[in-house]
Amino acid sequence: QVNLVESGGGSVQAGGSLRLSCAASGYTFGSYCMGWFRQAPGEKREGVAFIHTRRGNTYYADSVKGRFTVSQDNAKITLYLQMNSLKPEDTAMYYCAARASIGFCSAPYLDDSGSWGQGTQVTVSS
């Protein structure tokens, strides 16, 4: 079981930037699909951005393409989400997720049986 701890959330005005971090521990497999989800009150959980730790492939929701960047620091086993040009509709609790993977990486793959962090709140005011 991978343990995940998110940080970096906060409040920012529209147009601003935030960088979320997800510190991972407990890796027992060689490669993982890791990613970020978000959930606003009363809304369904939405997959935001994903990366395969070995292949480096990245995937983004259409709503964040061009604004958000997912990356990893293998030395520190940390996942990042750089969020630029933030909009009020980006306001949500953001969660980090991980699942061992030889190559698959997508929101459904993580949603099905991934490890999850406790979340970090992002609030964007207009």
Side-chain angles (χ1 to χ4, degrees):
Q1 185 81 358
V2 177
N3 299 309
L4 305 168
V5 179
E6 303 96 333
S7 61
S11 297
V12 65
Q13 288 192 325
S17 299
L18 283 173
R19 188 194 197 200
L20 305 184
S21 299
C22 173
S25 61
Y27 279 137
T28 58
F29 194 71
S31 60
Y32 287 79
C33 172
M34 296 189 72
W36 294 93
F37 289 76
R38 66 185 181 187
Q39 188 167 21
E43 302 289 332
K44 291 179 61 177
R45 187 165 62 193
E46 175 191 20
V48 175
F50 311 93
I51 186 168
H52 191 272
T53 61
R54 176 169 292 175
R55 297 189 173 187
N57 303 52
T58 56
Y59 312 89
Y60 296 93
D62 288 341
S63 58
V64 305
K65 278 181 182 176
R67 301 188 297 123
F68 290 11
T69 302
V70 62
S71 62
Q72 58 178 331
D73 181 334
N74 289 334
K76 296 181 179 179
I77 315 178
T78 302
L79 184 72
Y80 301 101
L81 184 68
Q82 178 66 44
M83 306 186 294
N84 298 328
S85 302
L86 283 162
K87 304 175 181 180
E89 51 263 45
D90 294 318
T91 295
M93 184 72 79
Y94 283 70
Y95 299 90
C96 177
R99 183 180 176 187
S101 169
I102 60 173
F104 302 112
C105 198
S106 67
Y109 185 75
L110 283 172
D111 233 348
D112 183 45
S113 183
S115 298
W116 294 84
Q118 82 290 348
T120 185
Q121 178 68 37
V122 171
T123 303
V124 184
S125 58
S126 57

